[in-house]
Amino acid sequence: MGRALIVVDVQKDFCEGGAVPVGGGAGRARAIAELVERTAGREYTHVVATRDHHLDPGGHFSDHPDFKDSFPVHCVVGTEGGEFHPDFAPTAETIVDEVFYKGAHSASKSGFEGFTSDGTALADWLRARDVTEVDVVGIATDHCVKATALDGVRADFAVRVLLDYTAGVAADTTARAVAELGRSGVELTGEPVVVG
């Protein structure tokens, strides 16, 4: 039985200078790239990544966002902001086994709502490779990382979030997310980066 690393949404629009920047995102992109290079094939049998991949997500985009359910336009298919951060992109191209695209027509915060280019869902892809445990890292701790980890538990994976390799939007929402993850049976290591 294997353990996989899920890298959540390390994209330009979620890092400094992007449409919906998360403080510390660029630093996490570098740290995650180093983690992948150090552990792929050793600690992890597989490494996968998720990408926000919006075409027309309806109310998820707003000119007056609440930053909970609605956000400024970001990670639109074909735009530079939707690409992996340049500090992570080379690692994604050479080491990551598969990319799962989410949110073409919805918010889709969880990586488990994502699909490969041929339509395979993340949980199905992992099960087909005898993965039973997953570690989750990426951006943002209090949004897509949280949603991915919680859905991983619901899908009967043993889930661990490596908080040292996440970046949160705000201290209060990140603290609430970490508490919810702990209550839901997610194992937590380290401390999330919150630059506010």
Side-chain angles (χ1 to χ4, degrees):
M1 298 301 165
R3 179 184 291 273
L5 179 66
I6 303 173
V7 179
V8 176
D9 299 359
V10 180
Q11 294 167 265
K12 290 182 180 180
D13 268 348
F14 296 135
C15 296
E16 292 84 348
V20 190
V22 178
R28 295 307 85 202
R30 287 189 292 278
I32 290 168
E34 292 167 2
L35 173 70
V36 170
E37 290 161 13
R38 188 173 67 250
T39 59
R42 298 176 184 86
E43 294 180 35
Y44 300 107
T45 55
H46 298 285
V47 179
V48 300
T50 70
R51 278 174 60 173
D52 251 18
H53 197 67
H54 295 308
L55 285 169
D56 181 13
H60 184 54
F61 285 171
S62 174
D63 292 333
H64 306 284
D66 63 13
F67 294 96
K68 180 182 176 186
D69 298 310
S70 60
F71 293 84
V73 174
H74 62 277
C75 297
V76 173
V77 174
T79 64
E80 185 176 343
E83 299 298 321
F84 287 126
H85 187 276
D87 288 337
F88 178 67
T91 302
E93 291 167 8
T94 57
I95 299 177
V96 167
D97 296 302
E98 189 60 83
V99 177
F100 293 81
Y101 300 91
K102 60 190 178 68
H105 299 285
S106 65
S108 292
K109 290 186 177 182
S110 170
F112 283 91
E113 297 176 273
F115 297 89
T116 63
S117 56
D118 69 2
T120 304
L122 176 55
D124 294 336
W125 192 96
L126 293 170
R127 289 192 188 105
R129 288 155 181 82
D130 295 323
V131 171
T132 57
E133 302 173 294
V134 297
D135 287 357
V136 183
V137 300
I139 307 170
T141 319
D142 37 353
H143 291 279
C144 296
V145 168
K146 179 185 82 168
T148 300
L150 292 176
D151 275 357
V153 170
R154 291 184 192 107
D156 293 324
F157 293 95
V159 181
R160 181 169 63 176
V161 174
L162 310 183
L163 293 170
D164 289 342
Y165 297 92
T166 68
V169 173
D172 59 340
T173 53
T174 297
R176 287 198 298 271
V178 169
E180 182 178 354
L181 290 168
R183 290 193 303 271
S184 300
V186 175
E187 183 181 349
L188 303 163
T189 68
E191 295 292 332
V193 170
V194 180
V195 178

